[in-house]
Amino acid sequence: MDFSLSTDQLQLQQVAHEFARKQIRPMAAEYDGRSDPKEAFPWEIYEKGNEIGFNKALIPEAFGGPGLGNLDLAIIIEELAWGDAGVALTYLAHWLALRPLINGGTDEQRSRFLAPVIADTDGHYLAAIAATEHGTAGDLSPRDHLRQRTDQRVGVTPEDFATNYTIPAAERRESTTTARLDGDHYVINGTKRFITNGPVASVYLVTATMDPSKPDAEATGCFMVAANTPGISIGKIENKMGHRLSKMSEVLFEDVCIPSSDRIPTEATIHGLASSTTNVGALCVGLARAAYEEALSYAKARYKGGNRIIFHQAISMKLADMAIGIKTGRLLTHLAAWENDQGKPLGASQYMAKVYCSDMALKVTLEAQQIFGGYGYMRDFPVEKWVRDARVCPIYDFTNEMLRVNHILPSIAFDPSA
Ligand SMILES: Cc1cc2nc3c(=O)[nH]c(=O)nc-3n(C[C@H](O)[C@H](O)[C@H](O)COP(=O)(O)OP(=O)(O)OC[C@H]3O[C@@H](n4cnc5c(N)ncnc54)[C@H](O)[C@@H]3O)c2cc1C
């Protein structure tokens, strides 16, 4: 068993770290502080990142890319997130949208959709995955709930609890975006929300039900859709608490007509989503590392209570626990990525890496804030940004509750060694 990175991987790590240090860190706070989310997307950073090739990283050599593996990508994402979590998320979402095409598309589909990424003449080529929808929470959508919260609520009675019944995953019909086959075309209708890169993407990977009368598990199709296809428009641009250097919006599809040949296998998307959770783990490690390094340096410098605060045991124990969490998270992330690279079936390790590292990042950034005392709460110190950035990690790319209950538990329940 050899845990050391290869020479190539160490070089990748260095390139990504230098990019984060020189191009991301000096600008991150300024962009993060912009109140209008439309102004917070730093094209100048992405243009330079795309010039280095971050948007081409996972494209196979046969299609003109470097064909990096999952461990390579985890190494890059950790460093980018050390610079800024939003920048890392932009690339993570871009890779996630392309991965199913790369793993499951035909050669014809791959040549057609990957050629513009390789060409990327203006350094603006990004992709997005459009899966999440408003859903059917009770009778109210989340936004209706927000509007009506003072005068109308969905009633849940004691009888509801007594007779409560959750529809099994295999029977759920929750997708409202539809893809209807019409001759040799699919016609897509629906609204997707919370789409990272939504307003800046050149191509979307869209999920939709091909038959609303059937459960989503049977009827979901996945489609590559160019962003300039007629009928696509951008809805609300979300004003996020953190990850502000990534841009997110609703994406609306109205009678969007695409060739039936642009459908890609649903299993490839499910596999891609599982792979991506490893990258979220790596993002969380990089983010936690940034906060830990700053807190360590502050604890060595701050003199209070008769000593430098690093020598107060309460503070030194926090720092030790933070370091343990980061190292454990990195090991789990690298294991999950390595298993993926070995072609092992994806499952518990990938989801565990996401759940563990996102909980860890939130804890570590909060502890860093505590070590900074009152200054940790001030906007001209960097720690409060990391807390805001970390808060979403247990929520996005499947909530940690969903992953624990629906993915990790079923894996370990039948195979305790998973
Ligand atoms: C910053 C950010 C970036 C995102 N980027 C993208 C993107 O690029 N593309 C995309 O398609 N989506 C994206 N999303 C959406 C994200 O994946 C969803 O927000 C997330 O999966 C949760 O879904 P939801 O918001 O509908 O919450 P809900 O599903 O409504 O969950 C509400 C609560 O109920 C719990 N819950 C729900 N179902 C279960 C269950 N079965 N078991 C136990 N608990 C449950 C949840 O854990 C949560 O606490 C992004 C979201 C954020 C915040």
Side-chain angles (χ1 to χ4, degrees), residues 48 57 98 110 219 240 329 345 396 404 414:
K48 290 184 187 125
L98 293 184
R110 290 194 278 183
K240 297 186 269 59
Y396 63 22
R404 282 188 169 96
F414 302 106

Side-chain angles (χ1 to χ4, degrees), residues 89 93 129-133 172 193-196 240 243 248 392 395-402 405-406:
L89 181 66
I129 175 157
T132 305
E133 301 181 354
R172 284 176 211 155
R193 63 165 180 159
F194 295 162
I195 308 308
T196 298
K240 297 186 269 59
H243 281 60
M248 167 205 273
V392 79
I395 295 175
Y396 63 22
D397 210 26
F398 304 119
T399 66
N400 283 5
E401 290 82 7
M402 292 181 204
V405 172
N406 300 337

Side-chain angles (χ1 to χ4, degrees), residues 133-173:
E133 301 181 354
H134 286 282
T136 50
D139 293 324
L140 293 178
S141 79
R143 293 227 177 270
D144 287 338
H145 178 80
L146 189 64
R147 274 191 290 275
Q148 299 179 8
R149 68 188 187 279
T150 50
D151 50 12
Q152 187 185 336
R153 286 173 189 275
V154 175
V156 174
T157 65
E159 291 73 38
D160 286 338
F161 277 102
T163 57
N164 181 34
Y165 159 66
T166 301
I167 300 170
E171 293 171 23
R172 284 176 211 155
R173 292 176 184 81

Side-chain angles (χ1 to χ4, degrees), residues 28 31-42 46 84-87 89-90 238-248 379 385 388-389:
Y31 275 101
D32 173 76
R34 294 186 184 186
S35 54
D36 182 349
K38 294 190 193 85
E39 305 294 323
F41 190 76
Y46 295 113
D84 177 80
V87 173
L89 181 66
T90 296
E238 301 291 352
N239 197 3
K240 297 186 269 59
M241 171 180 173
H243 281 60
R244 292 185 66 84
L245 278 72
S246 69
K247 205 168 191 174
M248 167 205 273
R379 298 208 67 165
K385 171 182 180 294
R388 284 187 284 110
D389 285 340

Side-chain angles (χ1 to χ4, degrees), residues 43-290:
W43 269 124
E44 54 184 319
I45 293 179
Y46 295 113
E47 284 163 5
K48 290 184 187 125
N50 292 345
E51 202 179 308
I52 292 176
F54 293 138
N55 63 345
K56 305 168 188 68
L58 79 171
I59 297 182
E61 287 176 14
F63 295 90
L68 297 186
N70 289 289
L71 183 51
D72 305 326
L73 298 182
I75 291 166
I76 295 176
I77 280 285
E78 181 183 328
E79 297 311 315
L80 296 183
W82 177 88
D84 177 80
V87 173
L89 181 66
T90 296
Y91 283 112
L92 192 153
H94 164 82
W95 294 343
L96 172 53
L98 293 184
R99 192 190 293 271
L101 168 79
I102 289 170
N103 289 349
T106 62
D107 278 352
E108 187 278 327
Q109 287 173 326
R110 290 194 278 183
S111 304
R112 199 153 40 87
F113 285 106
L114 295 178
V117 196
I118 294 295
D120 191 21
T121 41
D122 57 0
H124 282 201
Y125 200 101
L126 291 171
I129 175 157
T132 305
E133 301 181 354
H134 286 282
T136 50
D139 293 324
L140 293 178
S141 79
R143 293 227 177 270
D144 287 338
H145 178 80
L146 189 64
R147 274 191 290 275
Q148 299 179 8
R149 68 188 187 279
T150 50
D151 50 12
Q152 187 185 336
R153 286 173 189 275
V154 175
V156 174
T157 65
E159 291 73 38
D160 286 338
F161 277 102
T163 57
N164 181 34
Y165 159 66
T166 301
I167 300 170
E171 293 171 23
R172 284 176 211 155
R173 292 176 184 81
E174 294 183 355
S175 174
T176 53
T177 298
T178 56
R180 182 174 46 83
L181 189 61
D182 182 9
D184 58 356
H185 284 77
Y186 279 101
V187 182
I188 301 179
N189 277 286
T191 298
K192 296 291 184 175
R193 63 165 180 159
F194 295 162
I195 308 308
T196 298
N197 297 342
V200 294
S202 299
V203 71
Y204 301 108
L205 169 62
V206 183
T207 60
T209 176
M210 297 180 295
D211 183 350
S213 71
K214 289 193 178 151
D216 294 343
E218 268 178 55
T220 298
C222 301
F223 308 88
M224 296 302 293
V225 184
N228 59 4
T229 312
I232 296 180
S233 57
I234 300 302
K236 185 173 188 296
I237 298 201
E238 301 291 352
N239 197 3
K240 297 186 269 59
M241 171 180 173
H243 281 60
R244 292 185 66 84
L245 278 72
S246 69
K247 205 168 191 174
M248 167 205 273
S249 71
E250 289 178 325
V251 182
L252 285 66
F253 297 84
E254 202 177 341
D255 289 332
V256 174
C257 208
I258 57 156
S260 55
S261 58
D262 289 354
R263 184 179 159 203
I264 58 166
T266 305
E267 308 74 59
T269 303
I270 294 169
H271 190 274
L273 284 166
S275 305
S276 176
T277 49
T278 309
N279 286 335
V280 180
L283 183 155
C284 296
V285 172
L287 169 57
R289 216 180 87 208

